[in-house]
Amino acid sequence: MKLVVVVGIALGASLSIRAAVASPGPVAPAAKVPIPAPKDRPYAGEILLSVDATDLDRRIMHVHESVSGIAADTVLLYPKWLPGTHAPEGPIDRVAALRISANGATLAWTRDPVDVYAFRLHAGPGVKSIDIEFDYLSPTTRKVGALEVSRDVLMVEWNDVVLYPAGYFTRQIPVTASLTLPSGWQFGSAMDSAAASGAQTTFKRTDLETLIDSPVYAGRYAARFDLDVGGPVPVHLDLFADRPEYLAATPEELQAHRALVQQAFKLFGSHHFGHYDFLYSLSDQVQEQGLEHHQSSEDGSDPESFTKWDATAYDRDLLPHEFTHSWNGKFRRPADLWTPNYTVPMQNSLLWVYEGQTQYWGQVLAARSGLWSLQQALDQMAFTAAYYEIQAGRRWRPLQDTTNDEIINPRRPQSWSDWQRFEDYYEEGKLIWLEADTLIREQSQGERSLDDFARAFFGINDGSSTPVTYTFDDIVKTLNGVQPYDWASFLRQRLDSTGRPVPLEGLRRGGYELVYTDTPSAILRDGDEQRKHVNLLFSLGIDLEDHEKGAAGVVSQVIWDSPAFKAGITEGAQILAINGTVYSADILKDSIRSAKDDSTPIELIIRIGDRYRVARVDYHGGLRYPHLERDPSAPARLDDILSPRP
Ligand SMILES: [Zn+2]
C-alpha cells in the first residue's frame, strides 16, 4: 500500500487505467480432486472403534480406530450433517491430536480446504489397514458448548468420536464399537452389548448408520425401569442423575410413562424398533436436550422432574415428543432429508411434518398418558395460539421458509426473534395439524380423525426399522384416503402465504376460544418460576430474565410493535425502577394493574450498557395471560383428542 502511494504521485493515474484494461480480474482456481460420492455398495473392510470416556475432569474422550479395507488413496470423513439437528453441526472444532498410522509408521494427512470435515491420506498400495487416534475435546465450559461430561453423568454421541471412509453409504460400513467408562458406572443405549471386560463394554457388530443413531448415556447414579412389562418389545426408561435421590420416581409417575408407551402403540398401531430406551438425564451439570433416534432418545430435564413432579410439568411433553419421532422422522422420513452419509447436505422442506406433527402428537400423547392433565394440555395450546397472535414476523415470512432455520441459525441467540420468526414449523405446525384433525372429525361426523392418518402413514411395515421416505404428495394422498378434501391447497396456503392470521380454526372447531385473564395458568407460572423468567409478552410485550443480585429485570425478548417496543425498550435493557420505585417483578406487575385505571404511562428507568434513561410505556390493558374457554357452539373435539384411547 505504501509503495503504491510513493510511486503513484507521478504515475498513478495513467498506470492504474492501463492495469484495469489489461486485467480481466481474478478467476477461480481449478477444482480440487473431488471427495468420493457415497455409493450403495458393501465396504470391503470394517471399523473397530474404541472410545475411552474415563477422563471426566478434562472432559476428553480418547479415540482409537482400526480401519481395514483401505484404498491406496483414502478420504476419511468426520460426520458433518447430523440427523435430528438437520444441520451441518458436527463439532469438527473439537477434534485434536489426530494421528494416522499404518504398521506403526505415521501417515501424513491433509485436510480438504473446501470441506474441512474431510482428511486425505496416501496409504500406498501395500497398506490395507490403518490406525487412527484422536482426542474429542468435549466442551469444558458452557461458553464452548453444551456440556456433555460431568463427574456424575456423561453422554457419548458416536458421531463425535469417529472418522469413516468416504465413498460408501454409511449403512454399508460395518463397525464394532467398544466404550470404556469410569468403573462402577451404569449405562443405557439402544446398542446391544456383546461382551464386557471390567469397565469396557464391546457392542455387537453393526453398521455405522445404526451406531451413530444409538448414543450411550452413562452415570454414577442410574436407575432403569421397564415401561412395557411383558410386552413384545422392551421399552426402558434409563435415568442418570446428579444425585441418587433424584431417581426416586413414584409408582404413579412411572404409570404415566407406561401409559405413554401404550397410547403410542394404540395411536400408530406399530413399532419400528427391536427395543427402545429413553436415555434421560436429570442433571444441572450436563445439557438438557431432546434428540430423537430410531430406537432411543436423548432426553434431559430438571433434575427434580420426578421429585418435584407437580412443579415441573412445563416440559413433560419431551418424552412423548421424542418417542413419536421413532415413527415420525426416523421410520417415516422426508425424502429430501434422508441422506446416504453425513457429508451430503440435508434439505428440511418437510419439517412441518417431521417436527410439526411430532409436536402435535407429543402434546396429545402427554395428555392421553396422564403425563399432563387435560387442563395442562389446554393451557399449553393457549400459550402457542396467543404467541402467534402477537408475533410480527408472520407478516413478511412464510412458515415454509422457517424450515431452513436450523441451517440458517443452529439455535444461536437471536435478536428480535418474533420479527425474524424461528423454527415456527414446530408450534405453528402443531396448530395446523390441530386444524386438520378437527376438520377430519367435523367432515366425517366424528367417524375419523388424524389418528387414522397416523395409523395409515406411520403404522405400515410393523416391526421393520428400515426407513421409508415420503414426499408432500404422499402426505396429501394419505390425508385424502382418510377424508377427501383439498388438502394440497389447505396445506400450501398455510405454509406459503404471508400475513395470514394465526391459525385458530382448530381451537374453534375443537370447541374452545382463546381468551385472556389477569392470572397465568399454573403450567405457565411454574415454567417461568423454574426458568427465572417474568412473562409479560401479552401485556407490555416483554419477557424478562429475573435472576438475583444485579441480574434482575433484564429484558430477554421484546415483541415487535408492542407497547414496550414503542417506548424504545430493547433486548438486553435492564429495568432498574418503576414509577420511581426500585425494580421487582411484583412492583412491575402492580404498576401494570394500576395503569389499567389510569391514563399516565408506566415510567421505567432502564439501563442499556452504560446509558440510563426513562422509558414511558403507554399501556393500559392490565395483566394478560392466555387461556382456553369452552365455546359451546362447537362439540368439545379437543377434549376427545386429548383423552386416552381405550
Ligand atoms: Zn423433534
Side-chain angles (χ1 to χ4, degrees):
M1 193 76 85
K2 273 237 187 271
L3 182 67
V4 172
V5 170
V6 172
V7 175
I9 292 169
L11 305 172
S14 61
L15 270 182
S16 64
I17 289 166
R18 273 213 300 276
V21 172
S23 170
V27 294
K32 296 270 189 274
V33 183
I35 294 163
K39 292 199 176 124
D40 195 8
R41 53 180 177 166
Y43 180 67
E46 66 173 333
I47 299 175
L48 303 177
L49 169 65
S50 84
V51 176
D52 180 337
T54 59
D55 193 350
L56 302 177
D57 285 337
R58 295 184 188 83
R59 307 178 200 243
I60 294 175
M61 296 184 203
H62 302 284
V63 181
H64 179 266
E65 287 181 68
S66 171
V67 185
S68 59
I70 286 295
D73 288 294
T74 287
V75 177
L76 296 170
L77 301 172
Y78 188 73
K80 178 181 185 179
W81 286 83
L82 302 184
T85 65
H86 329 301
E89 286 190 75
I92 187 69
D93 54 320
R94 300 176 190 166
V95 172
L98 176 62
R99 179 175 182 264
I100 303 174
S101 60
N103 305 318
T106 300
L107 292 172
W109 54 263
T110 55
R111 194 191 297 258
D112 188 285
V114 175
D115 184 348
V116 296
Y117 287 72
F119 298 87
R120 296 176 187 278
L121 63 115
H122 178 70
V127 171
K128 292 289 170 254
S129 175
I130 57 170
D131 290 288
I132 304 168
E133 288 168 273
F134 67 89
D135 290 343
Y136 170 69
L137 310 180
S138 186
T140 46
T141 69
R142 289 193 160 90
K143 267 188 190 168
V144 179
L147 299 179
E148 305 159 328
V149 180
S150 78
R151 292 289 298 161
D152 303 308
V153 181
L154 74 85
M155 33 192 74
V156 179
E157 291 181 343
W158 297 104
N159 55 275
D160 294 337
V161 290
V162 70
L163 286 165
Y164 67 97
Y168 299 85
F169 280 26
T170 49
R171 67 183 178 208
Q172 296 277 17
I173 302 175
V175 57
T176 304
S178 69
L179 177 64
T180 306
L181 293 168
S183 63
W185 280 37
Q186 295 176 57
F187 71 89
S189 175
M191 297 280 289
D192 292 317
S193 309
S197 163
Q200 188 183 46
T201 300
T202 301
F203 298 99
K204 280 187 184 162
R205 193 175 198 253
T206 184
D207 59 80
L208 187 63
E209 184 177 275
T210 305
L211 178 78
I212 285 183
D213 195 39
S214 308
V216 177
Y217 272 32
R220 194 182 304 277
Y221 311 114
R224 187 159 215 240
F225 299 101
D226 186 345
L227 293 187
D228 192 15
V229 181
V233 280
V235 180
H236 284 110
L237 180 64
D238 300 308
L239 303 183
F240 303 92
D242 285 351
R243 300 159 69 102
E245 55 266 33
Y246 295 158
L247 301 168
T250 67
E252 295 75 33
E253 292 161 6
L254 289 174
Q255 182 45 42
H257 288 84
R258 293 194 172 107
L260 163 64
V261 174
Q262 295 313 316
Q263 288 296 323
F265 286 160
K266 282 177 181 164
L267 172 62
F268 298 114
S270 68
H271 64 85
H272 302 285
F273 41 80
H275 61 92
Y276 189 94
D277 284 78
F278 290 100
L279 308 175
Y280 194 177
S281 67
L282 302 166
S283 174
D284 280 333
Q285 302 177 41
V286 293
Q287 62 176 320
E288 285 180 14
Q289 74 165 347
L291 186 59
E292 66 275 21
H293 300 284
H294 204 131
Q295 312 200 58
S296 62
S297 53
E298 296 179 68
D299 308 292
S301 52
D302 191 293
E304 299 223 59
S305 291
F306 290 97
T307 41
K308 289 189 179 165
W309 181 258
D310 290 334
T312 54
Y314 54 91
D315 69 345
R316 211 175 287 142
D317 58 330
L318 174 67
L319 269 59
H321 178 103
E322 302 306 342
F323 195 39
T324 297
H325 270 317
S326 180
W327 289 265
N328 182 13
K330 287 298 178 177
F331 171 59
R332 294 304 309 262
R333 204 169 310 173
D336 61 358
L337 187 57
W338 182 89
T339 55
N341 73 0
Y342 310 106
T343 295
V344 177
M346 293 170 176
Q347 296 174 66
N348 292 335
S349 70
L350 289 164
L351 283 186
W352 51 274
V353 186
Y354 181 122
E355 292 294 1
Q357 202 176 113
T358 297
Q359 192 72 356
Y360 183 66
W361 289 129
Q363 298 197 353
V364 167
L365 287 172
R368 287 184 186 179
S369 62
L371 286 165
W372 272 349
S373 65
L374 173 66
Q375 189 58 49
Q376 286 169 330
L378 293 173
D379 290 339
Q380 197 68 35
M381 201 64 92
F383 178 82
T384 305
Y387 179 73
Y388 289 115
E389 272 209 326
I390 55 173
Q391 186 206 49
R394 55 193 306 104
R395 286 187 222 151
W396 70 270
R397 191 174 185 206
L399 181 63
Q400 178 68 55
D401 190 52
T402 71
T403 63
N404 298 300
D405 280 350
E406 284 277 14
I407 299 169
I408 295 170
N409 171 9
R411 301 194 178 176
R412 289 187 300 271
Q414 210 184 14
S415 302
W416 306 110
S417 60
D418 81 294
W419 185 225
Q420 292 204 45
R421 309 192 79 174
F422 185 67
E423 295 187 5
D424 286 347
Y425 50 86
Y426 279 89
E427 283 286 292
E428 192 169 337
K430 176 182 85 182
L431 295 180
I432 290 172
W433 288 113
L434 173 65
E435 260 192 287
D437 196 349
T438 53
L439 187 60
I440 295 169
R441 287 166 190 260
E442 184 183 66
Q443 299 251 320
S444 69
Q445 272 92 47
E447 288 294 309
R448 289 179 299 281
S449 69
L450 200 66
D451 283 47
D452 296 288
F453 171 87
R455 182 173 278 260
F457 200 71
F458 303 112
I460 58 171
N461 304 1
D462 184 25
S464 166
S465 59
T466 305
V468 178
T469 59
Y470 64 86
T471 62
F472 177 82
D473 289 345
D474 295 326
I475 293 285
V476 169
K477 197 174 153 200
T478 309
L479 282 168
N480 270 315
V482 173
Q483 180 63 45
Y485 192 76
D486 185 4
W487 291 109
S489 303
F490 171 93
L491 291 168
R492 292 271 47 115
Q493 273 172 10
R494 283 155 183 76
L495 292 164
D496 296 337
S497 49
T498 52
R500 278 183 69 84
V502 56
L504 293 180
E505 203 47 44
L507 291 177
R508 279 187 216 110
R509 230 186 270 117
Y512 283 91
E513 190 188 348
L514 178 62
V515 297
Y516 293 85
T517 74
D518 59 6
T519 312
S521 61
I523 196 167
L524 189 65
R525 183 199 62 213
D526 292 343
D528 284 347
E529 271 174 22
Q530 215 67 22
R531 296 182 309 120
K532 304 244 184 298
H533 274 243
V534 180
N535 180 341
L536 301 168
L537 290 172
F538 308 107
S539 47
L540 299 186
I542 50 174
D543 185 79
L544 305 176
E545 279 183 36
D546 206 38
H547 299 282
E548 284 147 36
K549 294 221 176 104
V554 177
V555 178
S556 56
Q557 189 181 0
V558 181
I559 297 292
W560 197 263
D561 280 349
S562 65
F565 176 94
K566 287 172 182 156
I569 296 172
T570 55
E571 288 153 16
Q574 184 172 18
I575 301 175
L576 301 175
I578 304 135
N579 295 333
T581 304
V582 72
Y583 168 87
S584 80
D586 286 339
I587 288 175
L588 182 56
K589 286 177 192 169
D590 281 345
S591 76
I592 296 170
R593 280 189 205 100
S594 309
K596 207 175 171 187
D597 311 313
D598 198 336
S599 58
T600 320
I602 302 165
E603 198 171 89
L604 306 177
I605 298 175
I606 61 171
R607 177 182 174 165
I608 304 173
D610 58 1
R611 280 179 57 231
Y612 291 79
R613 69 176 185 80
V614 173
R616 291 184 180 82
V617 187
D618 200 8
Y619 173 73
H620 308 281
L623 289 167
R624 290 174 88 238
Y625 301 97
H627 298 269
L628 294 186
E629 195 172 87
R630 181 77 182 94
D631 170 7
S633 69
R637 294 189 179 98
L638 189 48
D639 292 16
D640 292 343
I641 290 168
L642 298 171
S643 298
R645 292 268 304 268

